[in-house]
Amino acid sequence: MLCATAASLPAAPIDAETARRIDASSTPAPGELALAEVRKATERFRDVDVALAEGYIAEPTNTCEMADMMGHPRALGGMGIHYFRPDLLGITAPPNPRVDGTGTHVDFNLPSILIYDPQEDGSLELVAVENLVFIDAWTKAGNTEAPSFHGVAYDLMRDDPATEIDEAHGFEPHYDRHVWLYRENTNGVFAQFNPSVTCEFHKTGTAHGHTSS
């Protein structure tokens, strides 16, 4: 399994007013967690060492994802570095040729993916949590529509083989839902990309506009 490539210093918490705005930005459907509850359930993962100890691993290419890497306007911003739980995604083998899985996990009490933004001092700051399900597994489980959270359908990501850009960043077609609990997002709490994520301080792997070191 992969190790963290940056120091795991916990980031300073967002201020109370920012947290209040984020928590008030959407309303849960019956039986769903409120955003404040998701924050409480995931706060420990601000320390990436805790995430590693609980089975999360860095995405194999250690890429810091930006919107224009997936064919979207650069002004939308970025995602960051993904750490994921292979068991929750149902991933049992290396990409062949793309990452695929059989999981249908959509519980934000324990998100299948954590997203970190590299900092100048080498630390990783938790900025968002995410759940992802592969379309094939989701439909085979009897679902006819995309999953939703707080009344918002998950985003669809599917690569277009006719383009040079990989619109699904190495994954088979899937639905995903980002929740920007730890970094305010002017695009919206459920947007895929955040303008405040730039990958400027990413030191290893691949980041658009930056070279590996």
Side-chain angles (χ1 to χ4, degrees):
M1 293 298 182
L2 301 177
C3 297
T5 56
S8 55
L9 302 175
I14 60 174
D15 62 86
E17 176 58 23
T18 299
R20 186 197 66 77
R21 286 198 303 270
I22 293 172
D23 293 344
S25 64
S26 72
T27 302
E32 290 184 332
L33 295 176
L35 296 187
E37 294 174 307
V38 178
R39 188 195 317 280
K40 182 177 180 180
T42 58
E43 183 80 20
R44 67 189 185 280
F45 298 129
R46 294 170 60 80
D47 183 344
V48 71
D49 280 342
V50 173
L52 291 168
E54 293 193 25
Y56 290 87
I57 65 172
E59 183 272 322
T61 66
N62 197 33
T63 301
C64 192
E65 304 281 358
M66 297 297 296
D68 56 348
M69 297 167 67
M70 287 164 267
H72 299 281
R74 186 175 181 83
L76 289 177
M79 291 181 181
I81 299 175
H82 294 68
Y83 279 63
F84 64 91
R85 281 271 301 261
D87 57 330
L88 298 181
L89 293 176
I91 297 172
T92 59
N96 184 31
R98 307 177 69 83
V99 178
D100 198 5
T102 60
T104 56
H105 179 86
V106 292
D107 183 359
F108 276 101
N109 259 314
L110 187 64
S112 57
I113 299 173
L114 308 171
I115 302 178
Y116 293 89
D117 184 22
Q119 302 299 290
E120 187 173 11
D121 64 0
S123 64
L124 293 176
E125 179 183 341
L126 180 66
V127 290
V129 299
E130 177 184 358
N131 274 322
L132 179 155
V133 292
F134 294 94
I135 292 177
D136 186 55
W138 186 250
T139 55
K140 284 181 177 177
N143 300 292
T144 58
E145 298 181 353
S148 65
F149 184 62
H150 286 215
V152 181
Y154 279 34
D155 293 311
L156 168 65
M157 296 195 77
R158 187 194 308 269
D159 181 50
D160 181 354
T163 67
E164 293 184 5
I165 290 175
D166 185 349
E167 291 87 352
H169 56 86
F171 279 56
E172 291 289 353
H174 61 275
Y175 298 116
D176 63 34
R177 168 56 60 233
H178 297 75
V179 186
W180 295 91
L181 291 175
Y182 298 99
R183 175 77 61 82
E184 191 165 23
N185 188 351
T186 56
N187 291 337
V189 70
F190 297 139
Q192 287 187 308
F193 305 103
N194 189 328
S196 70
V197 175
T198 66
C199 294
E200 178 182 1
F201 301 115
H202 190 49
K203 302 297 184 184
T204 60
T206 304
H208 187 84
H210 302 277
T211 56
S212 302
S213 61

